[in-house]
């Protein structure tokens, strides 16, 4: 639990993270548009982004949402792996609205991504977490160094 000037603030957890669907496309579009505007980056606007998210959710994208607004998102893209027949996944976008930062939403989205089994089309995927682990626990804010699995 965190404290703010308004009193205690509940820390977010993986339980507060859910899988985004087509029904969430407008909210996802708004969050992505807000993200780019916050950092003075060009944006096609929330309506266009919502339409594009609907297309991508049907293809190669998974979106995790956190908070009741929703207040944060993580967008994952899947592609064919070089090393296996499985898909690999990368984090394309991670955003939490400014007024909800410092409450664990980003951490919850990150942790939720590791625990999710959702994949486009229900196909298996590989990830850096499955290929290897760091030699020692690494704090979240430091770069993660992964040791490759020995090839048999």
């Amino acid at each position: 639990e965190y404290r703010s000037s308004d009193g205690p603030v509940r820390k977010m957890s993986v339980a507060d993270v859910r899988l985004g669907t087509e029904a969430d496309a407008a909210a996802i579009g708004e969050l992505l548009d807000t993200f780019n505007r916050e950092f003075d980056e060009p944006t096609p606007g929330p309506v266009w982004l919502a339409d594009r998210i609907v297309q991508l959710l049907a293809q190669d994208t998974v979106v995790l949402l956190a908070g009741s607004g929703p207040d944060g998102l993580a967008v994952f893209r899947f592609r064919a792996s070089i090393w296996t027949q499985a898909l690999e996944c990368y984090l394309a976008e991670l955003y939490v609205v400014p007024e909800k930062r410092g409450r664990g939403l980003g951490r919850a989205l990150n942790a939720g991504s590791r625990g999710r089994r959702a994949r486009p089309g229900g196909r298996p995927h590989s990830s850096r977490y499955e290929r290897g682990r760091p030699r020692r626990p690494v704090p979240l804010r430091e770069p993660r160094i992964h040791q490759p699995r020995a090839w048999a």
Side-chain angles (χ1 to χ4, degrees):
E1 191 172 277
Y2 292 94
R3 287 210 161 280
S4 74
S5 58
D6 300 328
V9 176
R10 188 175 69 81
K11 184 177 175 184
M12 299 301 280
S13 71
V14 176
D16 298 308
V17 174
R18 65 181 177 82
L19 193 60
T21 67
E22 281 187 34
D24 299 304
I28 294 167
E30 287 288 341
L31 283 169
L32 291 171
D33 182 71
T34 302
F35 183 15
N36 274 24
R37 289 182 190 284
E38 181 180 339
F39 294 98
D40 295 321
E41 294 292 329
T43 175
V47 174
W48 188 93
L49 289 165
D51 290 342
R52 183 67 177 144
I53 283 296
V54 169
Q55 295 169 6
L56 295 175
L57 287 174
Q59 297 173 21
D60 65 354
T61 302
V62 169
V63 179
L64 297 181
L65 299 170
S68 60
D71 305 309
L73 61 74
V75 179
F76 297 91
R77 305 294 306 274
F78 292 79
R79 63 182 176 199
S81 172
I82 293 171
W83 304 105
T84 70
Q85 295 298 313
L87 295 174
E88 62 186 15
C89 176
Y90 71 93
L91 176 64
E93 306 288 345
L94 176 64
Y95 180 69
V96 175
V97 296
E99 58 273 12
K100 299 291 182 163
R101 292 181 188 157
R103 299 178 185 192
L105 265 74
R107 286 180 189 263
L109 286 163
N110 185 41
S113 70
R114 288 185 293 231
R116 294 285 168 177
R117 298 287 178 221
R119 297 163 181 89
R123 296 174 293 183
H125 81 285
S126 63
S127 74
R128 293 185 181 158
Y129 295 105
E130 292 171 346
R131 287 199 193 127
R133 299 273 188 222
R135 289 182 197 251
R136 61 178 175 76
V138 179
L140 184 63
R141 296 180 196 265
E142 290 182 19
R144 294 183 183 273
I145 301 170
H146 297 275
Q147 300 299 318
R149 182 173 26 182
W151 298 103

